[in-house]
Amino acid sequence: MRVPLSWLREYVDLPATETGRDVQAKLISAGLEVETVEHLGADLKGPLVVGQVLTIEELEGFKKPIRFCTVDVGRANGTGEPQEIVCGARNFAVGDKVVVVLPGATLPGGFSISARKTYGKTSHGMICSSDELGMGDDGTHGIIVLPPETEVGRDAIELLELVDEVLDIAVTANRGDCLSIRGVARETAIAYGLPLRDPALLDVPGPNAFGYPVKIADPTGCDRFTARTVTGLSPEARSPIWLQRRLQKVGMRPISLAVDVTNYVMMELGQPLHAYDRGLVQGTIGVRRAEEGEKIVTLDGVTRTLHAEDLVITDDRGPIGLAGVMGGANTEIADLPQSRTDSTGGTPIDLQNATSDVVIEAAHFDQVSIARTARRHKLSSEASRRFERGVDPQAAAAAAQRTVDLLVLLAGGTAEAGVTEISAPSAPRTISVPADHPDKVAGVTYGRETVVRRLQEVGCDVYGQDELIVTVPSWRPDLTDPNDLAEEVIRLEGYENLPSTLPKPPAGRGLTSRQRLHRRIGRALAGAGYVEALNYPFVGEQVFDQLGLDADDPARRVVRLVNPLSDEEPVLRTSLLPGLLGALRRNDGRGSHDLALFETGLVFHPREEQRVAANLPVDRRPSEEDLAALNAALPDQPRHVAVVLAGAREQAGWWGKGRPADWADAVEAARAVAREAGAELIVRKGQYGPWHPGRCAELAVTVDGEDRIVGHAGELHPRVLKALGLPARTCAMELDLDAVERVGHDTPQAPGISTFPVATQDVALVVDAFVPAADVEAALREGAGELLESIRLFDVYDNAEQLGEGRKSLAYALRFRAADRTLTVDEASAAREAAVALAGERTGAVLRS
């Protein structure tokens, strides 16, 4: 909401020394978000005067039409002689009053004006358009043509109100009253402790039987409708300069007098209005729900198909407007535009069909209905913005009267005596609140007198002593319970005056074991060089094709969002990889090629039995049965951990060549997670979805004596890399963290330290190339027995000449130690030989000679 300071001063007697910045500070302290203060005309310097065009000479021989004009500017140029000016615009004629900037002046943007030779003539100044003066769009796209009665030589800076300050306020959804000058003026008056001259306090005639006939078929959607009629409007009447300038300052474009007046009153009082051409309205005006498939052409020229929930304004023909959103084209005001000539060179506009009689509508519509209609038709208007946030229902009659008064004053119209006012029975909202309730909420002792005074300042009627009975004003529909009233007292007393007190948590409460594990895993991965990346949980189903998942893969069963943020990502993720790989691709595209990212987060799987979640009670704590039923209706949400790698894992430098990231790094990340969880991870050859079939490790844990697959790690398939636009040799790992946690140890295990020396035995085994190293290692571990402390694969060698075709050599370091004695060479060798024997039996391994 843009609020000109000059307009605000009409309703609040602010000190003359108060600037826009001062008012901004006051309103921010009162809880309004004033984003900026725009200084209009801050760099504007005269002379800028009113001139009258005396002659126009058309210059020939140029690529575009050029006119050489003489303009009477009175004594503003110091000589009284006509000013010679070259101008390319064509929307003015001889005798028109225009705005002239003379040499020595400076226009907005630091544009200095001086006499200069152009198109073979010397131009002593410039005839100005609204854009050149920083006024905004006036709809003419040409020179400003002033009313004929404007005095020649008058200062145009003052006439056009070019110097002003405009406050730009971001109005929250609950403060619809501040989408008007009236509402902001009320907040300003409270902030300064000054009286408010309420523009809605008008003498309004009561309803009678002579008003325009109106029928309300849906009193729930429209609980108040006021109709007034004005006849005899002059077709040549134009909006005065002051009205046009105020509309421009609040961000609206002047169109025609009748439309400008309704827009002006809407911005002033916050009540949207609509003016119908009485000659085009056929029969009774009605308000009803639309019929499914019914059509209307709105003022923007678009034919819209209506929904059965849309609220429409009708006459005997059918819809003539989308209630609270936009009027229909079939009753549009045919009025004289602000420029009396067209843009091609002075042809007068036909006045025969100009509207002379209008019916003014000021109604109050249901907030939810208007909001849904505006979104359904993707048609947000100034009117719908206000109805969505709440409009004062008591302001309709005053707004209609204000509109009638302005049309009579500015267009020479006559207000008909008939007044139509239909309203549904309603009573003011009252709230019972203890007088010390704001004190308890804020932790500050305000006292009853302060509470009552502040509530009265916002317009409430307050009665009672210890228990206050508060009647809420009609313009504050957001005040519905005691906490709302407490907030009003607190914000007006100043949020900055609230004490800053740190909460004291009770002793003995800390992180749960699950939270501690997640933090340990995050620290471990960060310590290994990974950077955490948090991604949105929304994906598009096409990503499953890009990842190469089978058609029957369980990961393709998704939870679909009813109201997704983006139509391209309408489902919840079943894997962390799409988000992580997207982050890797973005970073790689921005020049970061050596990447290692990780994420821990929830994935979502639909349950076999679909249930509808019940609405939980808000007046009490839900029971255990309520919570269990709610959880049963939610999808399964296991927590996963995933990493992605690309580029160099170890940087090259004076210390060596460095090393690129490979599948082994992804596997090691999984092992690091398992170590933090205290779980034993089984790593073996696997094949799944996006991973390269020859470079994919299957990750499993043992649950109740059976192996359960909990994830995969390795290098991604080249087809996946191409489909997702990823760097070559990108690697990834994803693990079901909840499953790993369940089989792990909650208490971290400290390493055992022995006082006896270790016995190390190395063994090199030759096996077929297709035999997994994990199978060989498992056989060695089992065969070595209890004396084996650790085993490590330290070399893989394949040479067809020495080993034979299709054979490879695996070299392991075995460490033996006993808990109660120093092992002899014979004991260590016996354990080694037992391990080799079992490996040979299970995998066909033979000792390498």
Side-chain angles (χ1 to χ4, degrees):
M1 176 68 191
R2 291 170 57 85
V3 180
L5 192 58
S6 59
W7 198 350
L8 196 63
R9 288 182 183 273
E10 277 200 10
Y11 310 127
V12 183
D13 290 326
L14 294 173
T17 57
E18 287 295 285
T19 66
R21 294 291 185 189
D22 299 328
V23 178
Q24 177 189 30
K26 285 282 189 179
L27 292 179
I28 288 176
S29 178
L32 294 185
E33 187 178 345
V34 185
E35 293 186 326
T36 60
V37 178
E38 184 179 352
H39 297 269
L40 302 181
D43 51 356
L44 177 65
K45 185 180 72 172
L48 188 72
V49 299
V50 176
Q52 184 173 20
V53 180
L54 301 178
T55 65
I56 297 177
E57 176 188 351
E58 300 290 344
L59 301 182
E60 304 293 338
F62 300 102
K63 292 183 179 180
K64 61 180 181 178
I66 298 296
R67 310 167 101 187
F68 181 64
C69 311
T70 59
V71 186
D72 178 14
V73 294
R75 302 292 303 177
N77 58 4
T79 65
E81 295 295 324
Q83 202 78 2
E84 297 180 340
I85 299 174
V86 175
C87 183
R90 307 188 61 78
N91 68 310
F92 64 95
V94 172
D96 281 345
K97 303 289 180 64
V98 294
V99 178
V100 179
V101 58
L102 300 177
T106 303
L107 294 182
F111 182 58
S112 299
I113 303 300
S114 61
R116 64 189 183 94
K117 190 170 183 178
T118 179
Y119 296 102
K121 301 286 187 179
T122 300
S123 182
H124 299 272
M126 191 168 74
I127 302 175
C128 298
S129 68
S130 59
D131 285 339
E132 291 164 340
L133 297 180
M135 297 168 56
D137 182 18
D138 63 357
T140 65
H141 303 291
I143 294 302
I144 301 171
V145 179
L146 300 171
E149 63 274 13
T150 311
E151 179 186 354
V152 172
R154 181 177 175 183
D155 183 2
I157 296 178
E158 177 186 353
L159 173 68
L160 300 177
E161 303 177 12
L162 297 178
V163 179
D164 203 349
E165 293 181 276
V166 179
L167 285 70
D168 193 351
I169 303 175
V171 179
T172 54
N174 66 318
R175 292 303 305 272
D177 59 306
C178 288
L179 285 173
S180 67
I181 304 297
R182 178 196 183 200
V184 177
R186 183 181 294 108
E187 291 295 319
T188 306
I190 295 173
Y192 279 91
L194 297 171
L196 169 70
R197 289 189 292 275
D198 191 343
L201 294 180
L202 301 174
D203 291 330
V204 179
N208 53 54
F210 308 107
Y212 197 92
V214 175
K215 180 180 179 181
I216 308 296
D218 189 343
T220 303
C222 176
D223 59 5
R224 185 177 295 269
F225 195 106
T226 300
R228 300 289 299 275
T229 305
V230 180
T231 60
L233 299 179
S234 171
E236 294 190 354
R238 296 200 304 164
S239 301
I241 292 174
W242 63 266
L243 191 150
Q244 294 186 47
R245 287 297 295 134
R246 286 191 171 178
L247 289 177
Q248 288 175 328
K249 290 176 184 179
V250 298
M252 303 190 76
R253 179 172 63 87
I255 298 173
S256 61
L257 177 59
V259 176
D260 291 350
V261 167
T262 57
N263 285 337
Y264 177 85
V265 175
M266 176 179 65
M267 303 306 296
E268 182 180 52
L269 302 182
Q271 169 66 53
L273 303 109
H274 190 72
Y276 302 95
D277 188 327
R278 183 176 179 178
L280 300 178
V281 179
Q282 298 181 11
T284 301
I285 291 178
V287 182
R288 62 170 171 81
R289 297 289 173 175
E291 297 176 4
E292 188 68 37
E294 207 169 10
K295 296 184 182 297
I296 183 176
V297 180
T298 47
L299 287 174
D300 56 1
V302 177
T303 300
R304 302 183 185 276
T305 301
L306 301 178
H307 188 275
E309 292 185 5
D310 291 334
L311 197 65
V312 292
I313 311 296
T314 65
D315 64 3
D316 291 349
R317 296 166 297 178
I320 60 174
L322 267 177
V325 180
M326 185 174 286
N330 54 356
T331 56
E332 182 179 4
I333 296 291
D335 210 346
L336 183 67
Q338 297 303 329
S339 176
R340 290 181 301 161
T341 56
D342 67 14
S343 61
T344 60
T347 304
I349 290 180
D350 181 19
L351 305 180
Q352 295 297 321
N353 297 321
T355 300
S356 59
D357 301 339
V358 298
V359 178
I360 299 161
E361 165 214 313
H364 185 261
F365 301 110
D366 176 61
Q367 291 180 237
V368 175
S369 176
I370 300 305
R372 288 177 176 172
T373 296
R375 283 156 180 75
R376 188 179 298 119
H377 295 281
K378 295 180 173 61
L379 185 62
S380 179
S381 64
E382 292 288 347
S384 67
R385 285 184 63 216
R386 284 160 177 78
F387 281 122
E388 289 172 12
R389 289 161 176 78
V391 169
D392 181 4
Q394 302 296 332
Q401 183 63 46
R402 176 70 164 143
T403 305
V404 169
D405 293 343
L406 287 173
L407 288 176
V408 170
L409 174 67
L410 301 177
T414 301
E416 288 196 350
V419 177
T420 301
E421 187 168 332
I422 300 176
S423 59
S426 62
R429 182 187 298 110
T430 59
I431 303 172
S432 178
V433 56
D436 61 349
H437 183 64
D439 301 6
K440 295 178 179 178
V441 172
V444 176
T445 303
Y446 293 122
R448 179 187 177 280
E449 291 185 2
T450 299
V451 171
V452 171
R453 174 172 58 84
R454 288 303 191 183
L455 292 178
Q456 289 174 338
E457 285 178 345
V458 300
C460 297
D461 292 329
V462 186
Y463 304 95
Q465 292 299 318
D466 294 338
E467 189 74 17
L468 303 179
I469 305 300
V470 181
T471 302
V472 175
S474 59
W475 56 82
R476 291 299 302 275
D478 58 306
L479 303 182
T480 60
D481 57 57
N483 285 332
D484 294 331
L485 301 179
E487 182 184 3
E488 291 299 297
V489 175
I490 295 168
R491 75 175 181 88
L492 294 178
E493 284 295 304
Y495 290 122
E496 68 275 10
N497 296 323
L498 293 177
S500 178
T501 306
L502 291 176
K504 296 180 179 179
R509 294 184 181 179
L511 298 177
T512 65
S513 59
R514 187 180 189 187
Q515 290 171 327
R516 288 194 298 269
L517 172 62
H518 295 165
R519 293 197 178 187
R520 289 201 309 271
I521 290 172
R523 284 194 294 266
L525 292 175
Y530 291 86
V531 176
E532 186 171 17
L534 301 178
N535 299 288
Y536 288 118
F538 314 119
V539 297
E541 291 180 274
Q542 73 281 356
V543 76
F544 301 131
D545 296 326
Q546 295 170 332
L547 291 176
L549 300 185
D550 294 335
D552 58 349
D553 195 297
R556 286 184 177 268
R557 294 187 63 246
V558 294
V559 177
R560 190 171 300 276
L561 299 170
V562 176
N563 188 22
L565 295 178
S566 169
D567 293 337
E568 296 180 355
E569 296 179 332
V571 300
L572 292 174
R573 66 189 178 191
T574 56
S575 166
L576 299 182
L577 289 184
L580 268 180
L581 292 174
L584 185 140
R585 180 180 62 249
R586 286 191 297 273
N587 282 275
D588 181 72
R590 287 163 173 76
S592 298
H593 304 302
D594 302 325
L595 296 162
L597 308 178
F598 84 93
E599 180 179 11
T600 61
L602 302 180
V603 298
F604 306 86
H605 299 286
R607 296 182 186 271
E608 294 296 333
E609 181 184 355
Q610 299 293 327
R611 300 184 182 181
V612 177
N615 292 325
L616 296 182
V618 296
D619 58 341
R620 56 182 171 80
R621 187 185 186 281
S623 66
E624 295 300 326
E625 291 76 13
D626 292 334
L627 295 176
L630 178 63
N631 288 328
L634 296 176
D636 287 328
Q637 302 176 54
R639 182 172 292 272
H640 282 202
V641 57
V643 305
V644 293
L645 306 98
R649 185 67 176 135
E650 296 176 3
Q651 293 291 336
W654 57 265
W655 52 84
K657 294 182 179 180
R659 181 178 65 82
D662 61 17
W663 62 269
D665 295 302
V667 173
E668 180 56 31
R671 286 195 171 105
V673 171
R675 282 195 296 271
E676 293 298 329
E680 183 176 347
L681 192 67
I682 301 170
V683 180
R684 59 197 179 202
K685 183 179 180 180
Q687 182 175 346
Y688 176 70
W691 280 276
H692 192 297
R695 298 165 188 165
C696 173
E698 185 178 84
L699 310 175
V701 294
T702 301
V703 181
D704 298 330
E706 296 184 359
D707 290 351
R708 175 185 169 186
I709 299 173
V710 293
H712 294 83
E715 183 179 317
L716 297 182
H717 198 288
R719 286 198 298 268
V720 174
L721 302 182
K722 182 178 180 180
L724 295 175
L726 298 171
R729 311 300 293 269
T730 297
C731 300
M733 178 278 292
E734 183 165 12
L735 202 58
D736 185 338
L737 187 54
D738 285 354
V740 174
E741 180 185 358
R742 282 193 290 271
V743 300
H745 300 287
D746 180 49
T747 303
Q749 302 296 312
I753 300 176
S754 175
T755 58
F756 299 101
V758 65
T760 302
Q761 296 270 356
D762 291 346
V763 59
L765 301 176
V766 179
V767 296
D768 291 332
F770 61 83
V771 175
D775 292 351
V776 178
E777 180 180 324
L780 290 172
R781 187 183 299 276
E782 183 179 345
E786 296 180 354
L787 295 180
L788 181 66
E789 182 179 83
S790 68
I791 181 172
R792 178 174 62 88
L793 175 67
F794 66 85
D795 184 55
V796 178
Y797 179 71
D798 54 351
N799 187 306
E801 293 182 0
Q802 296 186 20
L803 304 178
E805 192 69 31
R807 305 280 281 174
K808 64 181 177 182
S809 171
L810 304 176
Y812 293 90
L814 287 74
R815 292 167 57 91
F816 298 97
R817 195 193 315 254
D820 56 351
R821 67 187 187 281
T822 299
L823 292 177
T824 65
V825 174
D826 292 341
E827 288 177 310
S829 297
R832 172 180 176 274
E833 290 172 0
V836 171
L838 187 59
E841 178 183 336
R842 292 188 176 178
T843 66
V846 296
L847 280 173
R848 178 181 170 190
S849 59

